[in-house]
Short mmCIF file of all heavy atoms in Angstrom, two decimals:
data_model
loop_
_atom_site.label_atom_id
_atom_site.label_comp_id
_atom_site.label_asym_id
_atom_site.label_seq_id
_atom_site.Cartn_x
_atom_site.Cartn_y
_atom_site.Cartn_z
N ASP A 1 -10.44 3.50 15.99
CA ASP A 1 -10.48 4.95 16.16
C ASP A 1 -9.10 5.52 16.45
O ASP A 1 -8.83 6.69 16.20
CB ASP A 1 -11.39 5.31 17.34
CG ASP A 1 -12.84 5.07 17.00
OD1 ASP A 1 -13.14 4.95 15.79
OD2 ASP A 1 -13.66 4.99 17.92
N SER A 2 -8.24 4.69 17.04
CA SER A 2 -6.95 5.22 17.48
C SER A 2 -5.93 5.27 16.36
O SER A 2 -4.79 5.67 16.58
CB SER A 2 -6.42 4.35 18.61
OG SER A 2 -6.50 3.01 18.19
N VAL A 3 -6.31 4.86 15.14
CA VAL A 3 -5.38 4.92 14.01
C VAL A 3 -5.56 6.25 13.28
O VAL A 3 -6.66 6.61 12.88
CB VAL A 3 -5.62 3.74 13.04
CG1 VAL A 3 -4.76 3.89 11.80
CG2 VAL A 3 -5.33 2.42 13.74
N ALA A 4 -4.47 6.98 13.14
CA ALA A 4 -4.52 8.27 12.44
C ALA A 4 -4.55 8.05 10.93
O ALA A 4 -5.29 8.69 10.20
CB ALA A 4 -3.33 9.12 12.83
N ARG A 5 -3.71 7.13 10.45
CA ARG A 5 -3.67 6.85 9.02
C ARG A 5 -3.02 5.50 8.80
O ARG A 5 -2.40 4.94 9.71
CB ARG A 5 -2.90 7.94 8.27
CG ARG A 5 -1.47 8.08 8.67
CD ARG A 5 -0.82 9.37 8.14
NE ARG A 5 0.37 9.68 8.91
CZ ARG A 5 1.57 9.20 8.63
NH1 ARG A 5 1.75 8.39 7.61
NH2 ARG A 5 2.60 9.52 9.38
N TYR A 6 -3.20 5.00 7.60
CA TYR A 6 -2.55 3.76 7.19
C TYR A 6 -1.57 4.09 6.07
O TYR A 6 -1.82 4.98 5.26
CB TYR A 6 -3.57 2.75 6.68
CG TYR A 6 -4.52 2.26 7.74
CD1 TYR A 6 -5.76 2.87 7.90
CD2 TYR A 6 -4.18 1.21 8.58
CE1 TYR A 6 -6.64 2.43 8.88
CE2 TYR A 6 -5.06 0.77 9.56
CZ TYR A 6 -6.28 1.38 9.71
OH TYR A 6 -7.15 0.95 10.67
N GLN A 7 -0.46 3.35 6.04
CA GLN A 7 0.45 3.43 4.92
C GLN A 7 0.44 2.09 4.23
O GLN A 7 0.59 1.05 4.87
CB GLN A 7 1.88 3.72 5.40
CG GLN A 7 2.05 5.12 5.93
CD GLN A 7 3.45 5.34 6.48
OE1 GLN A 7 4.14 4.40 6.82
NE2 GLN A 7 3.85 6.58 6.56
N VAL A 8 0.22 2.11 2.93
CA VAL A 8 0.26 0.87 2.15
C VAL A 8 1.53 0.92 1.31
O VAL A 8 1.67 1.76 0.43
CB VAL A 8 -0.99 0.75 1.26
CG1 VAL A 8 -0.93 -0.54 0.44
CG2 VAL A 8 -2.26 0.79 2.11
N LEU A 9 2.47 0.04 1.62
CA LEU A 9 3.72 -0.06 0.87
C LEU A 9 3.62 -1.25 -0.06
O LEU A 9 3.16 -2.32 0.35
CB LEU A 9 4.92 -0.26 1.80
CG LEU A 9 5.41 0.96 2.59
CD1 LEU A 9 4.46 1.31 3.70
CD2 LEU A 9 6.80 0.69 3.14
N TYR A 10 4.07 -1.08 -1.30
CA TYR A 10 4.03 -2.22 -2.21
C TYR A 10 5.20 -2.15 -3.18
O TYR A 10 5.67 -1.07 -3.53
CB TYR A 10 2.70 -2.27 -2.98
CG TYR A 10 2.42 -1.04 -3.82
CD1 TYR A 10 2.70 -1.04 -5.19
CD2 TYR A 10 1.89 0.11 -3.24
CE1 TYR A 10 2.44 0.09 -5.95
CE2 TYR A 10 1.63 1.23 -4.00
CZ TYR A 10 1.92 1.22 -5.35
OH TYR A 10 1.69 2.33 -6.12
N GLY A 11 5.68 -3.32 -3.55
CA GLY A 11 6.78 -3.40 -4.50
C GLY A 11 6.88 -4.80 -5.04
O GLY A 11 6.47 -5.76 -4.38
N PRO A 12 7.42 -4.96 -6.26
CA PRO A 12 7.52 -6.27 -6.87
C PRO A 12 8.56 -7.14 -6.15
O PRO A 12 9.53 -6.63 -5.60
CB PRO A 12 7.96 -5.97 -8.31
CG PRO A 12 8.59 -4.60 -8.25
CD PRO A 12 7.95 -3.88 -7.12
N LEU A 13 8.30 -8.43 -6.16
CA LEU A 13 9.25 -9.40 -5.62
C LEU A 13 9.87 -10.16 -6.77
O LEU A 13 9.16 -10.57 -7.69
CB LEU A 13 8.53 -10.41 -4.71
CG LEU A 13 8.07 -9.88 -3.35
CD1 LEU A 13 7.22 -10.94 -2.67
CD2 LEU A 13 9.26 -9.52 -2.49
N PRO A 14 11.17 -10.46 -6.79
CA PRO A 14 12.11 -9.83 -5.87
C PRO A 14 12.36 -8.42 -6.32
O PRO A 14 12.04 -8.05 -7.44
CB PRO A 14 13.36 -10.71 -6.04
CG PRO A 14 13.26 -11.20 -7.46
CD PRO A 14 11.79 -11.35 -7.76
N GLY A 15 12.94 -7.62 -5.49
CA GLY A 15 13.21 -6.23 -5.86
C GLY A 15 13.14 -5.36 -4.65
O GLY A 15 12.68 -5.79 -3.59
N ASN A 16 13.62 -4.14 -4.77
CA ASN A 16 13.58 -3.25 -3.60
C ASN A 16 12.98 -1.89 -3.95
O ASN A 16 13.19 -0.93 -3.23
CB ASN A 16 14.98 -3.09 -3.00
CG ASN A 16 16.00 -2.75 -4.06
OD1 ASN A 16 15.63 -2.35 -5.16
ND2 ASN A 16 17.28 -2.90 -3.73
N SER A 17 12.26 -1.81 -5.08
CA SER A 17 11.58 -0.54 -5.35
C SER A 17 10.22 -0.60 -4.66
O SER A 17 9.43 -1.51 -4.91
CB SER A 17 11.40 -0.35 -6.86
OG SER A 17 10.52 -1.32 -7.36
N VAL A 18 10.00 0.32 -3.77
CA VAL A 18 8.77 0.30 -2.97
C VAL A 18 8.04 1.62 -3.17
O VAL A 18 8.65 2.68 -3.17
CB VAL A 18 9.09 0.09 -1.48
CG1 VAL A 18 7.84 0.25 -0.64
CG2 VAL A 18 9.70 -1.27 -1.26
N GLN A 19 6.72 1.52 -3.35
CA GLN A 19 5.91 2.73 -3.40
C GLN A 19 4.98 2.78 -2.20
O GLN A 19 4.65 1.73 -1.62
CB GLN A 19 5.13 2.79 -4.71
CG GLN A 19 6.02 3.34 -5.81
CD GLN A 19 5.56 2.90 -7.18
OE1 GLN A 19 5.63 1.72 -7.48
NE2 GLN A 19 5.10 3.84 -7.97
N VAL A 20 4.57 3.98 -1.84
CA VAL A 20 3.77 4.16 -0.62
C VAL A 20 2.48 4.89 -0.97
O VAL A 20 2.50 5.89 -1.68
CB VAL A 20 4.54 5.01 0.42
CG1 VAL A 20 3.72 5.12 1.70
CG2 VAL A 20 5.90 4.41 0.70
N LEU A 21 1.39 4.37 -0.47
CA LEU A 21 0.10 5.08 -0.53
C LEU A 21 -0.27 5.46 0.90
O LEU A 21 -0.16 4.63 1.80
CB LEU A 21 -1.00 4.16 -1.08
CG LEU A 21 -1.00 3.86 -2.57
CD1 LEU A 21 -2.02 2.77 -2.86
CD2 LEU A 21 -1.34 5.11 -3.36
N GLN A 22 -0.74 6.70 1.09
CA GLN A 22 -1.23 7.11 2.41
C GLN A 22 -2.75 7.01 2.38
O GLN A 22 -3.39 7.50 1.44
CB GLN A 22 -0.84 8.57 2.70
CG GLN A 22 0.64 8.84 2.60
CD GLN A 22 1.41 8.37 3.83
OE1 GLN A 22 0.83 7.95 4.82
NE2 GLN A 22 2.72 8.45 3.75
N VAL A 23 -3.32 6.38 3.39
CA VAL A 23 -4.77 6.19 3.44
C VAL A 23 -5.29 6.73 4.77
O VAL A 23 -4.72 6.47 5.82
CB VAL A 23 -5.13 4.69 3.30
CG1 VAL A 23 -6.64 4.50 3.31
CG2 VAL A 23 -4.53 4.11 2.02
N ASP A 24 -6.35 7.49 4.69
CA ASP A 24 -6.97 8.06 5.89
C ASP A 24 -7.36 6.94 6.87
O ASP A 24 -7.80 5.87 6.46
CB ASP A 24 -8.24 8.83 5.45
CG ASP A 24 -8.88 9.55 6.60
OD1 ASP A 24 -9.51 8.89 7.44
OD2 ASP A 24 -8.76 10.78 6.65
N GLY A 25 -7.21 7.21 8.15
CA GLY A 25 -7.48 6.20 9.17
C GLY A 25 -8.92 5.73 9.23
O GLY A 25 -9.21 4.70 9.83
N ARG A 26 -9.84 6.46 8.60
CA ARG A 26 -11.25 6.01 8.60
C ARG A 26 -11.51 4.96 7.54
O ARG A 26 -12.57 4.34 7.53
CB ARG A 26 -12.19 7.20 8.35
CG ARG A 26 -12.21 8.22 9.47
CD ARG A 26 -13.28 9.25 9.19
NE ARG A 26 -13.06 9.92 7.93
CZ ARG A 26 -12.48 11.11 7.80
NH1 ARG A 26 -12.07 11.74 8.87
NH2 ARG A 26 -12.31 11.67 6.63
N HIS A 27 -10.58 4.79 6.61
CA HIS A 27 -10.80 3.85 5.51
C HIS A 27 -10.10 2.53 5.76
O HIS A 27 -9.09 2.48 6.46
CB HIS A 27 -10.30 4.46 4.19
CG HIS A 27 -11.03 5.72 3.83
ND1 HIS A 27 -12.37 5.75 3.57
CD2 HIS A 27 -10.59 7.00 3.72
CE1 HIS A 27 -12.73 7.01 3.29
NE2 HIS A 27 -11.67 7.78 3.39
N ASN A 28 -10.62 1.47 5.16
CA ASN A 28 -9.98 0.18 5.36
C ASN A 28 -9.67 -0.51 4.05
O ASN A 28 -9.49 -1.72 4.01
CB ASN A 28 -10.86 -0.73 6.23
CG ASN A 28 -12.04 -1.26 5.46
OD1 ASN A 28 -12.58 -0.57 4.60
ND2 ASN A 28 -12.44 -2.48 5.75
N SER A 29 -9.60 0.25 2.96
CA SER A 29 -9.22 -0.39 1.70
C SER A 29 -8.69 0.66 0.74
O SER A 29 -8.92 1.86 0.91
CB SER A 29 -10.41 -1.11 1.07
OG SER A 29 -11.39 -0.18 0.68
N THR A 30 -7.97 0.18 -0.28
CA THR A 30 -7.48 1.07 -1.32
C THR A 30 -7.21 0.23 -2.55
O THR A 30 -7.14 -1.00 -2.48
CB THR A 30 -6.21 1.83 -0.87
OG1 THR A 30 -5.92 2.83 -1.84
CG2 THR A 30 -5.02 0.89 -0.75
N VAL A 31 -7.09 0.89 -3.70
CA VAL A 31 -6.75 0.19 -4.93
C VAL A 31 -5.33 0.57 -5.31
O VAL A 31 -4.97 1.75 -5.31
CB VAL A 31 -7.72 0.55 -6.08
CG1 VAL A 31 -7.28 -0.09 -7.39
CG2 VAL A 31 -9.14 0.11 -5.72
N VAL A 32 -4.50 -0.43 -5.58
CA VAL A 32 -3.13 -0.20 -6.02
C VAL A 32 -3.12 -0.36 -7.54
O VAL A 32 -3.59 -1.39 -8.06
CB VAL A 32 -2.17 -1.21 -5.36
CG1 VAL A 32 -0.74 -0.99 -5.83
CG2 VAL A 32 -2.26 -1.08 -3.84
N GLU A 33 -2.63 0.66 -8.26
CA GLU A 33 -2.73 0.67 -9.72
C GLU A 33 -1.36 0.81 -10.37
O GLU A 33 -0.34 0.93 -9.68
CB GLU A 33 -3.61 1.84 -10.17
CG GLU A 33 -5.04 1.71 -9.68
CD GLU A 33 -5.87 2.92 -10.02
OE1 GLU A 33 -5.44 4.05 -9.72
OE2 GLU A 33 -6.96 2.73 -10.60
N HIS A 34 -1.36 0.81 -11.74
CA HIS A 34 -0.14 1.00 -12.54
C HIS A 34 0.90 -0.07 -12.23
O HIS A 34 2.07 0.23 -12.05
CB HIS A 34 0.44 2.41 -12.32
CG HIS A 34 -0.59 3.49 -12.40
ND1 HIS A 34 -1.35 3.71 -13.54
CD2 HIS A 34 -1.02 4.38 -11.49
CE1 HIS A 34 -2.20 4.71 -13.31
NE2 HIS A 34 -2.02 5.12 -12.08
N LEU A 35 0.43 -1.30 -12.16
CA LEU A 35 1.33 -2.41 -11.83
C LEU A 35 1.72 -3.17 -13.09
O LEU A 35 1.09 -3.04 -14.13
CB LEU A 35 0.63 -3.37 -10.85
CG LEU A 35 0.14 -2.70 -9.56
CD1 LEU A 35 -0.64 -3.70 -8.74
CD2 LEU A 35 1.30 -2.13 -8.78
N ALA A 36 2.76 -3.97 -12.97
CA ALA A 36 3.18 -4.83 -14.08
C ALA A 36 2.37 -6.12 -14.04
O ALA A 36 2.09 -6.65 -12.97
CB ALA A 36 4.66 -5.14 -13.94
N PRO A 37 1.96 -6.64 -15.22
CA PRO A 37 1.20 -7.89 -15.22
C PRO A 37 2.06 -9.08 -14.81
O PRO A 37 3.29 -9.04 -14.90
CB PRO A 37 0.73 -8.03 -16.67
CG PRO A 37 1.53 -7.07 -17.48
CD PRO A 37 2.11 -6.05 -16.56
N ASN A 38 1.37 -10.11 -14.33
CA ASN A 38 2.01 -11.39 -14.02
C ASN A 38 3.21 -11.22 -13.09
O ASN A 38 4.28 -11.79 -13.31
CB ASN A 38 2.44 -12.09 -15.32
CG ASN A 38 2.62 -13.59 -15.10
OD1 ASN A 38 2.16 -14.13 -14.10
ND2 ASN A 38 3.29 -14.25 -16.03
N THR A 39 3.03 -10.39 -12.07
CA THR A 39 4.12 -10.08 -11.14
C THR A 39 3.61 -10.28 -9.71
O THR A 39 2.46 -10.00 -9.41
CB THR A 39 4.57 -8.62 -11.33
OG1 THR A 39 4.95 -8.44 -12.69
CG2 THR A 39 5.73 -8.25 -10.43
N THR A 40 4.50 -10.79 -8.86
CA THR A 40 4.16 -10.92 -7.44
C THR A 40 4.62 -9.67 -6.70
O THR A 40 5.76 -9.24 -6.87
CB THR A 40 4.85 -12.16 -6.84
OG1 THR A 40 4.42 -13.31 -7.56
CG2 THR A 40 4.48 -12.33 -5.36
N TYR A 41 3.71 -9.11 -5.92
CA TYR A 41 4.03 -7.93 -5.13
C TYR A 41 3.95 -8.26 -3.65
O TYR A 41 3.10 -9.05 -3.23
CB TYR A 41 3.04 -6.79 -5.43
CG TYR A 41 3.28 -6.13 -6.76
CD1 TYR A 41 2.76 -6.66 -7.94
CD2 TYR A 41 4.03 -4.96 -6.84
CE1 TYR A 41 3.00 -6.06 -9.16
CE2 TYR A 41 4.27 -4.34 -8.06
CZ TYR A 41 3.76 -4.89 -9.22
OH TYR A 41 4.00 -4.29 -10.41
N LEU A 42 4.83 -7.62 -2.89
CA LEU A 42 4.70 -7.68 -1.43
C LEU A 42 3.99 -6.40 -1.01
O LEU A 42 4.41 -5.29 -1.36
CB LEU A 42 6.07 -7.75 -0.76
CG LEU A 42 6.00 -7.86 0.77
CD1 LEU A 42 5.36 -9.18 1.19
CD2 LEU A 42 7.39 -7.73 1.38
N VAL A 43 2.90 -6.57 -0.27
CA VAL A 43 2.09 -5.43 0.18
C VAL A 43 2.16 -5.39 1.70
O VAL A 43 1.91 -6.39 2.36
CB VAL A 43 0.62 -5.61 -0.25
CG1 VAL A 43 -0.22 -4.42 0.22
CG2 VAL A 43 0.53 -5.78 -1.76
N THR A 44 2.53 -4.25 2.26
CA THR A 44 2.60 -4.10 3.72
C THR A 44 1.67 -2.96 4.13
O THR A 44 1.80 -1.85 3.62
CB THR A 44 4.03 -3.80 4.18
OG1 THR A 44 4.88 -4.86 3.76
CG2 THR A 44 4.10 -3.67 5.70
N VAL A 45 0.75 -3.26 5.02
CA VAL A 45 -0.15 -2.23 5.55
C VAL A 45 0.34 -1.87 6.95
O VAL A 45 0.48 -2.75 7.81
CB VAL A 45 -1.60 -2.74 5.61
CG1 VAL A 45 -2.51 -1.67 6.25
CG2 VAL A 45 -2.10 -3.09 4.22
N THR A 46 0.65 -0.60 7.15
CA THR A 46 1.12 -0.12 8.45
C THR A 46 0.06 0.80 9.04
O THR A 46 -0.34 1.78 8.41
CB THR A 46 2.45 0.65 8.31
OG1 THR A 46 3.42 -0.22 7.75
CG2 THR A 46 2.94 1.14 9.67
N ALA A 47 -0.39 0.48 10.26
CA ALA A 47 -1.30 1.36 10.98
C ALA A 47 -0.45 2.34 11.78
O ALA A 47 0.39 1.93 12.57
CB ALA A 47 -2.19 0.55 11.92
N VAL A 48 -0.66 3.63 11.55
CA VAL A 48 0.05 4.67 12.30
C VAL A 48 -0.92 5.22 13.34
O VAL A 48 -1.90 5.89 13.00
CB VAL A 48 0.56 5.78 11.37
CG1 VAL A 48 1.33 6.83 12.18
CG2 VAL A 48 1.43 5.20 10.26
#
């Protein structure tokens, strides 16, 4: 209840281009789209 929102950061590895999705604090999942095939991504979920 104490989380206002989540930020989902994702970007291909290696690399430093990062995109951010904002997710309402009541939700616990999201779909990340428009990605490159056969690529490893680092995904960071931040609770704000």
Side-chain angles (χ1 to χ4, degrees):
D1 289 343
S2 50
V3 174
R5 62 193 160 87
Y6 294 95
Q7 289 176 339
V8 179
L9 285 73
Y10 60 98
L13 287 173
N16 50 16
S17 66
V18 173
Q19 277 156 293
V20 183
L21 285 171
Q22 304 282 353
V23 181
D24 185 286
R26 293 187 301 262
H27 299 297
N28 75 326
S29 66
T30 190
V31 175
V32 179
E33 297 175 309
H34 313 300
L35 304 174
N38 201 16
T39 303
T40 301
Y41 285 84
L42 182 65
V43 180
T44 302
V45 177
T46 300
V48 181

